[in-house]
Amino acid sequence: MRYFFAFLLGFALLSVTVFGIAGRRGTDFRKPPLEIFDDMVRQAKLRPQVPNSFFNDGRSSQPHVAGTVAQRIGDQNNDTWQGTPKNTGLVTGTTNWVATIPVPVTTATMARGRERYNISCLPCHGAAGDGNGITKKIGAMAVVANLHDQRIAKLPDGELFHVISQGRNLMQGYAANIEINDRWAIVAYVRALQRARLATLEEVPPTDRALLK
Ligand code: HEC
């Protein structure tokens, strides 16, 4: 019986000690209580806008280095572009795709579009856009869309831009990899590929028709 009471007393003392030290976590203190496992509650870091002697100007937040370029410029997440047809492919304030490319298309745009298409799209869609890229040949992709498909040829430019940006079905989006202007350049180049395949003889100027026969 003596041992039992001694044990009870010891246990009670131990509990009081343990809870007295460790059990106060979560209570408000000016200073943190003893933390055996701090669970990364406190970390070595600088808060913004507080004095700091490390830098010469005595601030913890430093201004950007001259010439710093913002990353992901023109991205969907960038407010500057939010809601413009150029950013979304949509007519502002509607859910309708813009019919035509909302940026100027020049010879340089087409050249850029071809270059970017050949880098980002050709491996799957093929140089001619018929869906016979290398990924199909090696069996990595079973079905790749043929960009000359009537349905795809009829998609508005804005929707094409959207497919490149966000992907569709099995195809992933390339918004993170291809800058907005380059996406529109690719749209222009895809249109050229489609035209090269789908245009009719009637669309060729009469003087040039003989060359095709
Ligand atoms: C990794 C392979 C891959 C790459 C790279 C790729 N695509 Fe695709 N794309 C596909 C596949 C697969 C489909 C068919 C998706 C489906 O319908 O499941 C597709 C579908 C499409 C469609 C048809 C969308 C529709 O409405 O059915 C268009 C347009 C398209 N791709 C354009 C592009 C362009 C432009 C690029 C380059 C920026 C590109 N793709 C890059 C694999 C790819």
Side-chain angles (χ1 to χ4, degrees), residues 116-117 119-125 135 141-147 151-152 155 159-160 163-164 168-172 174 178 183 186-187 190 194:
R116 295 293 115 181
Y117 175 93
I119 292 170
S120 300
C121 321
L122 175 146
C124 292
H125 290 283
T135 51
M141 290 247 138
V143 224
V144 179
N146 172 3
L147 301 181
R151 182 186 60 80
I152 296 172
L155 295 179
E159 191 168 356
L160 214 52
V163 170
I164 299 174
R168 178 162 288 174
N169 304 332
L170 285 178
M171 179 183 147
Q172 69 154 12
Y174 289 90
I178 309 172
R183 275 178 253 158
I186 290 174
V187 171
V190 166
Q194 290 170 337

Side-chain angles (χ1 to χ4, degrees), residues 36-168:
I36 294 155
F37 301 107
D38 66 0
D39 292 336
M40 295 199 287
V41 170
R42 265 158 283 277
Q43 302 162 24
K45 65 170 183 280
L46 296 178
R47 291 187 188 279
Q49 316 297 353
V50 298
N52 177 264
S53 59
F54 183 79
F55 296 106
N56 280 338
D57 64 2
R59 295 190 281 180
S60 64
S61 316
Q62 294 296 300
H64 293 305
V65 175
T68 302
V69 177
Q71 291 293 293
R72 298 169 69 91
I73 210 161
D75 184 82
Q76 271 81 2
N77 301 324
N78 183 330
D79 286 335
T80 326
W81 300 105
Q82 207 113 48
T84 65
K86 184 182 165 184
N87 172 35
T88 58
L90 292 166
V91 178
T92 311
T94 71
T95 51
N96 301 325
W97 303 114
V98 289
T100 51
I101 302 173
V103 296
V105 177
T106 63
T107 318
T109 316
M110 295 303 284
R112 177 78 180 168
R114 173 165 60 194
E115 185 199 56
R116 295 293 115 181
Y117 175 93
N118 287 347
I119 292 170
S120 300
C121 321
L122 175 146
C124 292
H125 290 283
D130 53 13
N132 290 317
I134 186 73
T135 51
K136 194 167 174 182
K137 292 201 185 82
I138 63 170
M141 290 247 138
V143 224
V144 179
N146 172 3
L147 301 181
H148 305 301
D149 187 282
Q150 278 298 327
R151 182 186 60 80
I152 296 172
K154 284 186 186 137
L155 295 179
D157 287 352
E159 191 168 356
L160 214 52
F161 172 84
H162 175 79
V163 170
I164 299 174
S165 307
Q166 310 299 327
R168 178 162 288 174

